[in-house]
Amino acid sequence: MEHSSDRYYIPHGSPWPIVGSVALLFLMAGFAATLNGSGIGKISMLIGAGILLFMLFGWFGIVIKESVDGIYNQQVDRSFRMGMAWFIASEVMFFAAFFGALFYARQLALPWLGGDGNNFFTNFLLWPGFENAWPSNGPAEIGGEYKAMGPWGLPALNTAILLSSGVTITIAHHAVKAGNRKMLVAFLGLTWILGLLFVGLQATEYMHAYHDIEHGGLSLRLSSGIYGSTFFMLTGFHGLHVTLGAIMLIVIWFRTLKGHFSPENHFGFEAVAWYWHFVDVVWLGLFIFVYWL
Amino acid sequence: MRERFRRIFQGAVYGPLFFLLGVSTAYADWELNMTRGVTPISHDTFDLHMIIFWVCVAIAVVVFGVIIYSLYAFRLSRGAQPDIAMVHSTKAEIIWTLIPIGILVAMAIPAAETLIKIEDTRAPDVTIKVTSYQWKWHYEYLGDANDPFVKSNFGFFSNISPESNRARQLGSGIDVFQVDNYLRDVDKSVVVPVNRKVRLLLTSNDVLHAWWVPELGGKRDTIPGFVNEMWFLAEEIGVYRGQCAELCGRDHGFMPIVVEVQSEADFAKWVGENGGAVGGGPAETPDVVEGTVAAAATGGGAGSAEPVDMELSFDDLMARGETAYLTNCSACHQLNGQGLAPAFPALAGGVITTGALDAHLDQVLNGKAGTAMAPFSYLSNTDIAAIVTYERNAWGNSTGDIIQPSDVQAAR
Amino acid sequence: MSHTADAHHDHHAAPSGFKRWLFATNHKDIGTMYLVFALVMFFVGGTMAMIIRAELFQPGLQFVDPGFFNQMTTMHALMMIFGGVMPAFVGLANWMVPLMVGAPDMALPRMNNWSFWLLPVAFSLLLSTLFFAGGAPAGGWTMYPPLVLQTGNAFPFLIFSVHLMGMSSIMGAINIVVTIMNMRAPGMGLLKMPLFVWTWLITAYLLILAMPVLAGAVTMLLTDEYFGTSFFNAGGGGDPLMFQHVFWFFGHPEVYIMILPAFGIVSQIIPTFARKPLFGYESMVYATASIAFLSFIVWAHHMFTVGMPLSGQLFFMFSTMLIAVPTGVKVFNWMATMWRGSMTFETPMLFAVAFVFLFSIGGFSGLMLGITPADFQYHDTYFVVAHFHYVLVPGAIFGIMGGVYFWMPKWTGHMYNEKLAKIHFWLSAIFVNVTFFPQHFVGLAGMPRRIPDYATQFADFNMVSSIGAFVFGVSQLLFVYIIWSCVRGGEKATTAVWEGSHGLEWTVPSPAPHHTFEVAPEVP
Ligand code: HEA
Ligand code: HEA
Ligand code: CUA
Ligand SMILES: [Cu+2]
């Protein structure tokens, strides 16, 4: 046997990373060109996205194959775990930047514009009459009239959904450890269904927000000053992560159906579970600071 | 040239020595050290600078001294034997943690005291609102009927002086050493009274800039949408020069500041000349101070004293237009009217500059919202007439149009 | 010798042709690619610096348009920081960390390849903007809004290339953390690791925590420009300063990212050539960790002049001053390592000693900048430029060069040309000072940074500085020649290479075979 599992497995070269780089080249250059108003940008983006998908299938495909073939020993498994953990840490910091923006705007920028601290003249000379409040689209009322998104309604429901999905995935986790396939399949399935439900409700909420006030909506848009900016950027990036997480859950679910995970060896499952918990925790932060307080 | 090389050589050799040995007496030498300035704050700052500098020198002498000695004494070629057992010493480590902490605490106290003084902008004698533009300054003296000096608001723009502006163009062929105060001179300086607390309220019209005159001590950024404060109290009559100190785009290097500190009497006279007869302010001066705004704030710009019904000849307009264009427009549209693609459009052969006159005047008076093209309505009718005439007849534009100040007044 | 050439693994010999590089998963190949890439970028960024110095040779505009000058300043910094110093350090980590901890390779070899190959993509996007109609980004490497929003067509390319650099750095950092935490040979306890490994471990944590924040910051720039958000627009309730806070929350740790690995290299070199163990090993580790911790609470010292509340200014002044303490501990430990050693001065040692002197000078000016009232005068002048070039050029770059000379025999199996290398050292060490020391003077005298033209009283020192820069620049051609000839041939290097070598990396043959430590080594 070439690769005894007592050795740390080092692949002999792989085409996928460079394929991924080429994909990102097309994707990013295409996106940038699109933003500059160039027509070919979109085509380039499509090509890039296509190559990226191809890369993801290829790369994950080979990793899954190697995993199933039992090439990875305990130490490799540990490397994957640590890698995933630190990846999630970096994601936390990405969200931290946006949370930071939210806190800064609420605790500092808006009070200053309203004349707090050493900013009497800011208010007096530049923004007379502006009073600090939250939510706010700023003294120039960028984006015009809008209504804030309340917490009790869809958001509360979504909180419940996401929290229960956290419970279901934990049950699935216990099931995988106990080797209980049936339970695993059921609860993992339930988890991604809840995930998709969340995404669907979030989309409904966005549509409601974007509709004009006259048409029963909130007129709340990305361009509704700092409130709209922070609201949509935070919930939007979160929604994106939920979507990715749900796709990952579905992939893992199919892998479960194929019998990929054993009680001892189920890194793929755990990685996704961790990710899901991370998404969950971020949502709690969002619910409290974006919707509620 | 050779003379300069000699000076450079001397500077290179003596400079560092001088700096290390005798700076405290050499502060007069403006080329080597921070200026001591003319305000109490700048003096405090200078002292802090010198203390921390000497602290660093002292530490450097000790640390570098020990290392240099080691480099000499503990060489293999001198037969030094390594002391392999020397790997750790808690005592040494405590000492070289505590001593620096002590030094730093000793340093932090005066620094904090000065900082607290700097931030105290209360009870000023004169308040000037400074607004930065790409790439010029606008000063507005905030007046009050009870104020001993400034009874009513008045303001003006301050651009780089035409001489410097001409010399600084790429390939201008002008020897900049022959230009007085090259890049440090403006067409209209700020004037303040001596020994009075002057407070600046700083904001910006477009991007970040920073207002800095070294001798007045410290700089402060101007931020669009926010007002920052700083103050100074100049103790010596004189002319002090500085410039914009925050990257603000292409002509960041060409936004000088000149402050003239004058006696109270001279200052009062200057205010009378500028605030009474010739007033003016940008269209967007705040409405809040309306209560205190007198007639001065409503005038037609820096040159509105000139009669509107004045008729100028084509040649006069072109000559004046060229200068005014150089001062106000060339930063973006370039001397040759070619602009800088894609940000700044060419005026040579431009649609507007060769098309309808109304649209042209409108563009200049009102600018174009959302672009760098600001409204220039604060310029005098004569200047605008001259600029527009110039633009329509220079660089191969040949509309033959002659625009008079009255036309501009009509378009306002 | 603990390395066993295992016949069983013959198929592991280096693959040949382009696949070896494009598909690389071997840490040594990837390390080499990183180092070559960094060298190329150092030259690209250096060429831009030469354009800057040529324009500043005399007052008056001689060569370039002011807009182009700003593009050069901005691109120079981005090339040097993200293209030069950071990839060079990752390259050194790739080569040396597995060798030092006795690992067969990096923990995640495929990802290792990706984190490298994202860099050429990122920099092609960024460099391509030089040929755009509106030119490259010109708002400074700090990308402050609102100015950066005026960039034009280059703007989204700037943002996306920063995203890609960030992805690359994060993946590289994760890989290093995992390698160090999971791949150490049995017996290689954490407090037995060489300091280079320690400093890189801490640097990698900094990267993981700081780079995503930069990604967030530039994402907000992108949406402010194209999607109507108001993060940095006061009218909408945002604040241009908010960007600065977010940026420097990344930016200050970033400057330590650029110096900690150099600390590590110096901590390897000095004991080797002093033939004496590093003094105060544990305190070195703790000092590094404290620097890393403090680096997250000093960021606003870059923004003293923006008009922060007094309490904020005081807090950031005090925390900034505090950083001198752990850094001092490091300097004193190096000093004590040399004390009663038995030193020889091969080129790596020369660079390390110069590092200690010149980095300290940069550190002292940093401390001066930290005194807030004084910074009101220093800020945005050439005094700041002098400060950070002292910590970056004779700091980070000398650290890298010292490391290259130190380890090159291990990589290539040949000794480099010691005589030429010494010439390279002396030219660099002298002219780096000629270039950057006078900048202290012009800065104090009032010359702002980021200007293409200046008042005539600054003329003399600028000319000195430019001459220094040209000679320093040309000297670097010698560096390339020395590397080139060392790769091509030269005196055979022994396994230990240096008389005072100590550690696992010196137990594998020179050149290090394509695969090392496939069986975990015995830790001495
Ligand atoms: C490798 C990079 C690096 C490093 C290590 C440092 C180290 C330090 N820096 Fe520097 N810095 C930069 C890179 C770096 N910096 C860059 C790139 C910028 C400009 C960014 C831009 O605007 O573009 C900058 C700007 C900058 C500023 C902002 C200036 C301004 O814009 O106005 C300040 C202000 O506090 C500062 C402070 C410090 C301090 C206190 C340290 C300390 O860590 C230094 C500590 C070291 C010592 C003090 C010397 C050794 C110690 C002893 C021998 C012990 C005893 C000493 C005493 C008790 C004094 N730096
Ligand atoms: C690691 C980072 C790093 C490094 C290594 C350098 C290296 C150099 N830097 Fe840089 N620099 C920065 C980081 C760095 N810099 C940053 C962050 C800024 C701030 C940017 C901003 O304001 O936004 C800056 C800004 C900056 C300025 C200020 C510009 C301004 O404010 O307008 C100047 C001016 O002198 C300068 C000069 C130099 C020089 C001469 C070198 C030299 O050490 C370079 C030497 C290398 C070479 C020259 C290349 C090799 C040789 C050749 C290519 C051969 C050909 C040579 C010739 C033809 C002579 N740099
Ligand atoms: Cu205005 Cu720089
Ligand atoms: Cu810093």
Side-chain angles (χ1 to χ4, degrees):
Chain A
M1 205 180 91
E2 271 193 2
H3 298 284
S4 55
S5 56
D6 59 321
R7 287 256 163 87
Y8 194 91
Y9 173 68
I10 313 282
H12 309 170
S14 165
W16 299 114
I18 190 96
V19 173
S21 293
V22 172
L24 287 179
L25 176 63
F26 277 98
L27 194 64
M28 297 298 210
F31 192 15
T34 309
L35 290 173
N36 285 335
S38 142
I40 49 165
K42 290 226 170 61
I43 300 172
S44 171
M45 272 170 87
L46 272 179
I47 296 176
I51 304 178
L52 194 66
L53 269 181
F54 173 62
M55 179 280 263
L56 287 174
F57 273 101
W59 193 329
F60 283 118
I62 183 129
V63 172
I64 291 170
K65 181 170 176 303
E66 286 166 359
S67 167
V68 173
D69 288 354
I71 293 178
Y72 297 155
N73 63 10
Q74 288 274 304
Q75 200 184 3
V76 177
D77 195 62
R78 215 160 42 233
S79 287
F80 286 156
R81 278 158 205 277
M82 290 181 168
M84 189 67 196
W86 287 108
F87 167 66
I88 291 177
S90 77
E91 288 265 46
V92 169
M93 291 310 289
F94 181 73
F95 275 96
F98 292 93
F99 272 109
L102 175 70
F103 296 145
Y104 183 95
R106 289 181 60 169
Q107 300 304 320
L108 300 171
L110 284 166
W112 286 344
L113 290 166
D116 260 23
N118 54 356
N119 273 275
F120 169 76
F121 282 103
T122 300
N123 184 261
F124 181 69
L125 291 178
L126 301 178
W127 311 110
F130 175 72
E131 275 174 41
N132 167 34
W134 185 261
S136 167
N137 57 351
E141 303 192 345
I142 300 240
E145 197 195 340
Y146 69 96
K147 282 196 202 147
M149 179 70 73
W152 312 118
L154 277 188
L157 182 59
N158 258 346
T159 310
I161 291 175
L162 219 46
L163 285 183
S164 13
S165 78
V167 176
T168 53
I169 197 150
T170 307
I171 299 177
H173 195 178
H174 284 292
V176 82
K177 278 197 197 144
N180 186 340
R181 273 284 301 283
K182 243 196 202 134
M183 229 11 202
L184 172 61
V185 171
F187 278 88
L188 193 54
L190 199 56
T191 311
W192 67 252
I193 291 172
L194 286 171
L196 289 186
L197 192 61
F198 175 93
V199 176
L201 288 177
Q202 190 77 358
T204 320
E205 182 191 287
Y206 273 19
M207 271 184 321
H208 176 59
Y210 258 76
H211 268 91
D212 289 341
I213 290 182
E214 298 90 81
H215 300 113
L218 301 176
S219 293
L220 174 61
R221 316 208 162 96
L222 194 52
S223 52
S224 299
I226 191 68
Y227 177 65
S229 308
T230 48
F231 177 83
F232 281 107
M233 290 295 271
L234 276 162
T235 55
F237 270 116
H238 177 260
L240 205 68
H241 281 80
V242 178
T243 313
L244 282 179
I247 293 173
M248 279 155 45
L249 284 169
I250 294 174
V251 171
I252 291 295
W253 190 66
F254 277 110
R255 287 188 61 193
T256 318
L257 292 184
K258 279 181 142 185
H260 279 181
F261 300 115
S262 67
E264 300 78 38
N265 188 356
H266 49 263
F267 163 71
F269 176 89
E270 276 194 346
V272 177
W274 289 348
Y275 195 77
W276 197 250
H277 284 305
F278 150 70
V279 164
D280 217 358
V281 171
V282 172
W283 176 261
L284 278 183
L286 284 180
F287 185 70
I288 295 173
F289 293 111
V290 176
Y291 290 95
W292 191 5
L293 294 183
Chain B
M1 214 47 182
R2 178 184 286 159
E3 174 56 21
R4 280 197 50 222
F5 273 116
R6 224 197 66 233
R7 271 197 296 139
I8 288 171
F9 181 73
Q10 286 180 348
V13 173
Y14 297 125
L17 280 177
F18 199 38
F19 191 65
L20 286 173
L21 298 176
V23 208
S24 45
T25 52
Y27 57 73
D29 193 337
W30 168 237
E31 282 205 0
L32 283 182
N33 200 359
M34 183 190 280
T35 172
R36 193 157 172 277
V38 296
T39 70
I41 294 296
S42 73
H43 296 166
D44 286 359
T45 304
F46 178 80
D47 294 342
L48 277 175
H49 159 69
M50 288 319 296
I51 301 174
I52 185 75
F53 169 72
W54 284 115
V55 166
C56 289
V57 170
I59 297 174
V61 167
V62 174
V63 176
F64 295 174
V66 173
I67 298 180
I68 289 169
Y69 175 76
S70 315
L71 294 181
Y72 165 76
F74 304 117
R75 277 176 304 156
L76 183 64
S77 56
R78 287 185 84 245
Q81 286 301 314
D83 179 357
I84 300 180
M86 185 187 148
V87 291
H88 179 73
S89 156
T90 313
K91 208 190 323 159
E93 273 157 16
I94 290 176
I95 291 174
W96 65 47
T97 309
L98 288 185
I99 292 183
I101 290 181
I103 296 174
L104 293 173
V105 171
M107 210 36 239
I109 293 167
E113 278 170 2
T114 307
L115 191 56
I116 291 167
K117 252 191 263 174
I118 292 176
E119 293 300 322
D120 183 2
T121 53
R122 286 171 299 180
D125 298 308
V126 177
T127 298
I128 308 173
K129 180 179 172 222
V130 181
T131 310
S132 53
Y133 288 70
Q134 278 173 320
W135 293 278
K136 58 188 171 239
W137 298 95
H138 181 268
Y139 298 97
E140 186 183 27
Y141 287 68
L142 298 187
D144 183 282
N146 303 321
D147 193 280
F149 299 107
V150 187
K151 309 263 180 228
S152 66
N153 286 14
F154 66 96
F156 53 87
F157 275 91
S158 178
N159 290 286
I160 188 170
S161 72
E163 299 77 44
S164 286
N165 204 15
R166 226 173 250 122
R168 65 104 173 171
Q169 304 296 332
L170 185 56
S172 68
I174 300 173
D175 179 2
V176 298
F177 287 96
Q178 305 305 320
V179 179
D180 277 348
N181 289 312
Y182 176 59
L183 297 186
R184 309 198 115 209
D185 207 4
V186 295
D187 55 0
K188 190 162 171 54
S189 3
V190 201
V191 179
V192 298
V194 71
N195 280 325
R196 289 288 186 164
K197 184 165 182 175
V198 178
R199 175 174 62 186
L200 303 181
L201 300 177
L202 303 127
T203 187
S204 176
N205 178 59
D206 35 51
V207 301
L208 307 174
H209 304 254
W211 197 90
W212 182 37
V213 177
E215 278 119 324
L216 302 180
K219 58 179 74 70
R220 188 104 328 166
D221 294 2
T222 65
I223 295 152
F226 288 85
V227 174
N228 271 335
E229 298 177 36
M230 76 185 278
W231 67 275
F232 60 85
L233 183 149
E235 295 173 325
E236 282 169 45
I237 290 175
V239 179
Y240 305 107
R241 295 170 195 280
Q243 66 189 93
C244 177
E246 173 68 53
L247 180 62
C248 53
R250 185 169 177 276
D251 283 351
H252 159 60
F254 310 101
M255 277 181 77
I257 298 162
V258 180
V259 177
E260 285 179 35
V261 178
Q262 300 186 349
S263 69
E264 286 188 12
D266 288 349
F267 174 68
K269 192 160 142 255
W270 179 84
V271 169
E273 281 163 7
N274 287 272
V278 272
E284 70 276 28
T285 37
D287 345 9
V288 254
V289 264
E290 223 156 36
T292 60
V293 178
T298 53
S304 59
E306 293 175 25
V308 169
D309 54 359
M310 185 173 64
E311 286 275 322
L312 284 92
S313 73
F314 179 72
D315 290 343
D316 286 351
L317 283 167
M318 286 299 278
R320 182 162 180 165
E322 186 174 1
T323 315
Y325 177 85
L326 174 75
T327 306
N328 295 297
C329 323
S330 67
C332 298
H333 297 292
Q334 303 300 293
L335 274 181
N336 56 10
Q338 291 302 328
L340 279 176
F344 306 119
L347 300 181
V351 186
I352 292 185
T353 43
T354 57
L357 176 61
D358 293 351
H360 192 171
L361 278 170
D362 179 64
Q363 182 92 10
V364 180
L365 283 167
N366 303 319
K368 175 132 191 229
T371 73
M373 181 64 202
F376 283 90
S377 53
Y378 68 86
L379 294 176
S380 68
N381 290 331
T382 319
D383 275 341
I384 293 184
I387 290 173
V388 174
T389 308
Y390 177 72
E391 284 180 349
R392 299 178 77 78
N393 295 289
W395 328 296
N397 291 357
S398 49
T399 59
D401 293 343
I402 300 178
I403 293 89
Q404 295 296 348
S406 51
D407 302 330
V408 180
Q409 181 59 40
R412 277 184 190 270
Chain C
M1 200 187 76
S2 51
H3 173 76
T4 40
D6 193 337
H8 201 65
H9 280 70
D10 271 353
H11 64 284
H12 274 219
S16 50
F18 73 95
K19 279 191 181 167
R20 168 169 181 189
W21 305 106
L22 289 187
F23 298 170
T25 45
N26 179 280
H27 72 106
K28 301 185 184 77
D29 287 347
I30 295 175
T32 305
M33 288 196 291
Y34 263 115
L35 288 167
V36 171
F37 179 82
L39 189 64
V40 172
M41 285 297 136
F42 175 64
F43 271 75
V44 174
T47 307
M48 292 169 177
M50 294 301 112
I51 296 173
I52 295 173
R53 283 316 326 169
E55 182 57 63
L56 293 175
F57 187 71
Q58 284 181 58
L61 284 183
Q62 285 83 30
F63 305 110
V64 299
D65 175 84
F68 185 72
F69 182 90
N70 291 346
Q71 296 174 27
M72 286 297 104
T73 306
T74 307
M75 295 291 273
H76 158 68
L78 291 171
M79 294 295 136
M80 285 299 194
I81 291 177
F82 293 103
V85 172
M86 290 169 70
F89 280 144
V90 183
L92 292 174
N94 251 296
W95 253 101
M96 300 318 295
V97 167
L99 290 184
M100 286 177 156
V101 301
D105 204 302
M106 293 292 279
L108 304 161
R110 287 193 188 95
M111 193 171 82
N112 201 11
N113 174 315
W114 205 23
S115 54
F116 171 74
W117 277 107
L118 282 175
L119 285 178
V121 174
F123 283 89
S124 321
L125 286 181
L126 190 54
L127 283 167
S128 70
T129 61
L130 280 169
F131 306 102
F132 286 9
W141 83 281
T142 48
M143 304 179 279
Y144 285 177
L147 181 64
V148 75
L149 302 178
Q150 298 179 351
T151 299
N153 283 352
F155 181 71
F157 288 85
L158 168 70
I159 302 294
F160 292 142
S161 67
V162 171
H163 278 138
L164 290 173
M165 292 167 202
M167 279 170 67
S168 159
S169 298
I170 292 170
M171 288 197 276
I174 291 178
N175 222 331
I176 290 168
V177 168
V178 178
T179 305
I180 298 174
M181 297 312 282
N182 191 35
M183 305 286 284
R184 296 193 310 277
M188 176 61 77
L190 281 177
L191 282 175
K192 273 191 157 184
M193 299 193 309
L195 252 153
F196 179 66
V197 180
W198 256 116
T199 52
W200 238 118
L201 179 65
I202 291 167
T203 305
Y205 288 135
L206 287 183
L207 278 166
I208 291 172
L209 298 181
M211 292 307 292
V213 178
L214 175 68
V218 297
T219 305
M220 289 186 247
L221 284 180
L222 187 82
T223 58
D224 262 20
E225 173 74 3
Y226 293 109
F227 300 102
T229 57
S230 310
F231 288 108
F232 310 130
N233 173 2
D239 185 349
L241 296 183
M242 182 158 89
F243 177 83
Q244 301 187 17
H245 283 288
V246 184
F247 179 87
W248 288 115
F249 183 85
F250 143 81
H252 189 84
E254 167 70 16
V255 306
Y256 291 104
I257 289 166
M258 290 190 285
I259 204 69
L260 294 184
F263 286 172
I265 295 168
V266 169
S267 305
Q268 300 298 131
I269 294 177
I270 291 182
T272 306
F273 296 95
R275 294 170 179 72
K276 182 168 161 273
L278 184 69
F279 187 87
Y281 171 91
E282 282 189 32
S283 67
M284 283 300 226
V285 173
Y286 297 135
T288 313
S290 335
I291 293 174
F293 169 75
L294 287 173
S295 76
F296 280 107
I297 56 164
V298 301
W299 75 87
H301 66 213
H302 296 270
M303 325 168 36
F304 281 142
T305 62
V306 303
M308 268 184 292
L310 178 64
S311 52
Q313 300 192 26
L314 287 171
F315 172 80
F316 287 109
M317 172 166 78
F318 297 149
S319 59
T320 300
M321 295 171 81
L322 216 53
I323 286 208
V325 175
T327 317
V329 168
K330 307 208 70 140
V331 172
F332 299 135
N333 280 329
W334 291 323
M335 180 180 87
T337 307
M338 288 187 246
W339 187 259
R340 295 171 59 187
S342 170
M343 282 186 272
T344 50
F345 298 97
E346 287 86 345
T347 311
M349 182 63 165
L350 290 175
F351 273 102
V353 172
F355 174 96
V356 177
F357 279 101
L358 300 177
F359 168 79
S360 296
I361 293 180
F364 290 138
S365 59
L367 192 76
M368 294 170 76
L369 290 166
I371 307 289
T372 311
D375 185 66
F376 288 160
Q377 292 282 28
Y378 305 135
H379 177 69
D380 260 332
T381 67
Y382 263 78
F383 191 78
V384 178
V385 177
H387 156 64
F388 65 73
H389 282 94
Y390 261 87
V391 281
L392 284 168
V393 183
I397 298 282
F398 274 24
I400 292 166
M401 285 175 175
V404 168
Y405 283 119
F406 188 46
W407 287 314
M408 199 154 50
K410 181 59 58 194
W411 304 336
T412 62
H414 306 127
M415 296 307 287
Y416 57 85
N417 183 332
E418 187 70 46
K419 213 193 225 139
L420 282 182
K422 285 211 163 104
I423 296 175
H424 171 233
F425 167 77
W426 283 110
L427 283 173
S428 302
I430 292 169
F431 285 96
V432 83
N433 284 294
V434 176
T435 310
F436 296 114
F437 208 79
Q439 295 188 354
H440 291 113
F441 302 144
V442 282
L444 290 174
M447 177 170 162
R449 58 193 280 211
R450 296 168 162 174
I451 55 174
D453 191 4
Y454 46 85
T456 47
Q457 77 261 35
F458 308 128
D460 298 350
F461 284 125
N462 268 296
M463 196 178 272
V464 176
S465 177
S466 290
I467 293 170
F470 299 146
V471 184
F472 181 82
V474 173
S475 321
Q476 303 320 313
L477 294 174
L478 193 55
F479 182 50
V480 180
Y481 174 76
I482 296 168
I483 296 176
W484 176 249
S485 53
C486 178
V487 173
R488 297 300 298 273
E491 191 196 323
K492 287 262 168 287
T494 60
T495 295
V497 182
W498 311 109
E499 201 187 302
S501 323
H502 184 80
L504 282 179
E505 71 275 30
W506 307 111
T507 62
V508 301
S510 307
H514 200 58
H515 289 278
T516 36
F517 300 134
E518 295 191 301
V519 176
E522 206 68 35
V523 175

